[in-house]
Amino acid sequence: MSSLLRRRKALLSIYSRSNGYTNESKPRGLTSAPPIEVGFTESAGRGVFATRRIGAGELIHTDKPILSHPSLSSIDSVCYFCLKNVASNVPFCSDECRQQSKIFYDTEKQADWSHFHEYCRTQGLKYPLLVKRLACTIISGAATPETLDILQPATLSSEMILLMEKEYQLLRSTFEDAGFTDEQIAFLSKKWYIDVLARIRINSFRIELALGSYEDILLSAAASVEAEAAVGNAIYMLPSFYNHDCDPNAHILWIESVNAKLKALRDIEAGEELRICYIDASMDCDARRAILSEGFGFDCKCARCMSND
């Protein structure tokens, strides 16, 4: 057995292969336990590997976010919990979403977020909204300050950290003005804020709801599908372990809501690493590598980039 295989076998399981599904709740297209495992790669840290052959177009697994937030431009037109389209100014699409949102919403609605939201809007910021939601969930007791610690953080420059000062102060003062005690927000230090934002920056997914029927989209083997404008951002546990490739063998998509679906773009053999594309794969090589370096902090060495394709 190779040293790499031993390391993969020894890795503590991050994800339950059963995913908690019963026969009644299992998503359409998912006929058995997800055929994947989290392991180590030779050069990119953790990765996701196939445990059996996966056919092109197959639904590999689904995942619910551990954290999500609608974009400010969509906040009045999508469900505040699952990001599904709703009638204007209706906060939730269902009683189920209303109930599940209590882990953050009961805390959040005690404060006036108008100044914080306006600052994020004028500065073009989206990730602080996810920090806000996580903070509300922590205050409610439904999460811990270490919730995202398992995720890889981005490397932040001193200039980037300085720019975070204003948004951090606005977030903390919003809680203070709402009457939350020092004990309730003791976790909300500048260091915690920066550490969380560093993880969100490179692990957040831009949610674009796919257009078309569920069956047609899953049968498609295209690397992208027609989608609406982004309705929000979300953090997932397992999808965050997928590494990048400019010629991916898997694709993540969203149909109707923030719940993610991973499908195979081509046949994948047992033991092969599953990779998704973090950016628009249609861009030229120089543009792709520049965005990946600046936005994700790595120099892409996939086969496409190495061949200057």
Side-chain angles (χ1 to χ4, degrees):
M1 182 183 295
S2 69
S3 61
L4 178 61
L5 183 57
R6 282 196 297 270
R7 289 172 66 201
R8 284 171 49 192
K9 292 294 185 183
L11 183 66
L12 180 64
S13 177
I14 301 297
Y15 182 71
S16 168
R17 292 189 185 178
S18 68
N19 210 19
Y21 295 130
T22 64
N23 288 334
E24 291 75 20
S25 66
K26 190 177 294 179
R28 288 176 294 172
L30 191 60
T31 58
S32 61
I36 53 177
E37 65 180 2
V38 177
F40 287 108
T41 68
E42 293 283 7
S43 59
R46 289 173 298 204
V48 179
F49 297 83
T51 57
R52 63 161 173 80
R53 186 179 185 279
I54 302 172
E58 182 176 340
L59 175 61
I60 303 168
H61 71 91
T62 66
D63 207 8
K64 293 183 178 182
I66 54 178
L67 192 63
S68 65
H69 198 287
S71 62
L72 293 177
S73 61
S74 301
I75 206 164
D76 294 325
S77 59
V78 299
C79 176
Y80 204 51
F81 183 77
C82 77
L83 308 189
K84 185 180 295 185
N85 287 322
V86 296
S88 181
N89 295 317
V90 176
F92 301 103
C93 68
S94 65
D95 288 338
E96 180 182 2
C97 281
R98 186 184 301 276
Q99 288 299 316
Q100 292 187 66
S101 74
K102 286 183 176 296
I103 61 173
F104 61 83
Y105 193 60
D106 287 351
T107 298
E108 184 177 326
K109 66 184 181 182
Q110 296 179 50
D112 178 3
W113 295 99
S114 57
H115 294 302
F116 183 76
H117 284 181
E118 184 58 25
Y119 181 78
C120 290
R121 192 190 312 274
T122 57
Q123 299 299 313
L125 302 175
K126 53 189 178 181
Y127 302 134
L129 300 171
L130 289 167
V131 184
K132 177 199 76 173
R133 181 156 291 184
L134 177 58
C136 289
T137 308
I138 293 169
I139 291 171
S140 75
T144 69
E146 299 79 28
T147 294
L148 301 185
D149 282 4
I150 195 172
L151 301 180
Q152 181 73 21
T155 300
L156 303 178
S157 66
S158 56
E159 292 80 6
M160 294 170 68
I161 292 173
L162 281 174
L163 291 173
M164 295 175 184
E165 179 69 32
K166 176 67 173 179
E167 65 203 56
Y168 163 69
Q169 293 295 343
L170 271 174
L171 179 64
R172 187 173 178 90
S173 65
T174 299
F175 284 118
E176 292 172 340
D177 293 346
F180 289 94
T181 66
D182 289 343
E183 182 179 0
Q184 287 177 296
I185 58 174
F187 69 91
L188 190 49
S189 65
K190 185 176 179 181
K191 181 182 184 304
W192 178 85
Y193 182 87
I194 292 170
D195 286 348
V196 167
L197 207 58
R199 287 168 169 78
I200 288 175
R201 282 181 64 88
I202 59 170
N203 290 288
S204 175
F205 287 85
R206 184 173 183 262
I207 308 304
E208 298 178 342
L209 302 183
L211 301 175
S213 72
Y214 180 93
E215 289 78 10
D216 289 344
I217 291 169
L218 289 184
L219 285 173
S220 171
S224 62
V225 295
E226 186 179 359
E228 300 177 357
V231 296
N233 293 275
I235 300 289
Y236 303 84
M237 189 58 68
L238 182 58
S240 293
F241 294 150
Y242 279 73
N243 288 314
H244 166 83
D245 198 299
C246 293
D247 184 21
N249 56 11
H251 180 60
I252 185 169
L253 69 158
W254 297 269
I255 304 171
E256 294 185 345
S257 77
V258 73
N259 295 336
K261 301 182 187 298
L262 277 291
K263 69 169 185 175
L265 293 176
R266 55 177 177 265
D267 292 342
I268 301 169
E269 300 303 322
E272 183 178 351
E273 184 182 1
L274 284 76
R275 293 192 169 219
I276 59 177
C277 187
Y278 294 172
I279 59 174
D280 181 357
S282 67
M283 293 185 294
D284 65 41
C285 181
D286 289 341
R288 294 196 315 270
R289 298 189 78 174
I291 292 175
L292 290 167
S293 177
E294 294 169 12
F296 295 88
F298 67 88
D299 181 22
C300 187
K301 299 184 184 299
C302 73
R304 275 192 71 191
C305 287
M306 289 295 94
S307 63
N308 203 34
D309 179 4

